[in-house]
Amino acid sequence: MHPHLRTAAAVALLAVTVAACGGSASTASPGATTAPTAAPTTAATASAAPDASASPAASLDASAAPSVPASPAATPTPDQQALMERLPTSVGTLQLKVNPVDGAALIAADPEANKGLVDFLTKIGLEPTDLLIAFTSPESQTSVAFSIGAYRFVEADPAKLKAEFVQANLDSQPGSTAKDETIGGREVVTLGAPAGDSGPPVHLIFDGDTVFVVSSTDADFAAEAVKALPIQ
């Protein structure tokens, strides 16, 4: 399996960003499950740096994982830190490291490739500087491919964000599906890949102006990851 999960959450390549930032599955499997990007992907021992072959999605195509600029070298800003604290530091027995990504820097690194993301932000009335991203990576080897990320669209209208985010993902992948269900004891919107696409389902959890994205090749792990999100 490719080190980065290709998931169905395309919108901002957000979910995809997570996957790109995640690692790739290796050998030692954790005692519990771990989730992924959509949108997602994460895996084993590797560093959080994305695969060199992955480039930012040109539109909202979730099939391509973007190469994400390394998280800020300096100390995370207060807003980034607050978002990072909203992601779990463990799922089952698997310990996770939370990393920030500068949304504006991600877009600036390749404006053309990220045009779809910019258009989405414009549609909900935001600028690239209004996008905060955080994702997790495993601290030890794991055989579970996963992606767990959080995307905050600062002060976006919650109702509009949810409707537009889901629709953008559906529009980006004809034939994909979205359904409301309960996973890990939480209400989620699950994005399913088009027929013929083997990508795992992507679970979206909306909380105010923030979207949490969880995906994994292991359904039990995905459920544990959703449950582990520190959301009231």
Side-chain angles (χ1 to χ4, degrees):
M1 152 176 264
H2 188 284
H4 301 304
L5 272 181
R6 294 332 195 212
T7 58
V11 124
L13 313 172
L14 290 185
V16 174
T17 297
V18 178
C21 296
S24 63
S26 188
T27 49
S29 71
T33 40
T34 306
T37 78
T41 240
T42 281
T45 62
S47 63
D51 185 316
S53 66
S55 58
S59 60
L60 291 185
D61 182 0
S63 66
S67 67
V68 183
S71 53
T75 301
T77 65
D79 284 342
Q80 287 176 326
Q81 186 62 47
L83 183 62
M84 291 168 65
E85 292 174 357
R86 301 199 67 192
L87 287 176
T89 54
S90 67
V91 174
T93 60
L94 183 64
Q95 298 301 304
L96 304 173
K97 178 181 179 181
V98 182
N99 313 274
V101 171
D102 186 323
L106 169 66
I107 293 172
D110 196 335
E112 185 59 31
N114 287 294
K115 185 177 183 301
L117 173 54
V118 174
D119 289 345
F120 174 74
L121 289 169
T122 299
K123 192 168 186 178
I124 60 175
L126 300 182
E127 300 289 337
T129 52
D130 297 316
L131 173 61
L132 300 175
I133 304 171
F135 66 94
T136 66
S137 59
E139 291 191 347
S140 59
Q141 292 187 339
T142 172
S143 62
V144 180
F146 70 92
S147 178
I148 306 173
Y151 308 92
R152 185 184 175 204
F153 298 88
V154 183
E155 296 187 2
D157 175 75
K160 184 174 183 179
L161 172 61
K162 180 176 182 178
E164 295 294 349
F165 193 94
V166 172
Q167 191 58 53
N169 276 281
L170 293 177
D171 291 344
S172 72
Q173 288 208 326
S176 59
T177 61
K179 65 178 179 179
D180 296 321
E181 59 182 347
T182 300
I183 299 291
R186 299 184 186 282
E187 293 183 0
V188 308
V189 174
T190 296
L191 300 177
D197 188 322
S198 60
V202 177
H203 307 302
L204 307 178
I205 302 88
F206 295 87
D207 186 36
D209 63 2
T210 301
V211 182
F212 294 90
V213 179
V214 172
S215 179
S216 178
T217 53
D218 184 315
D220 290 335
F221 181 84
E224 285 295 320
V226 170
K227 184 179 180 179
L229 292 170
I231 302 174
Q232 296 300 318

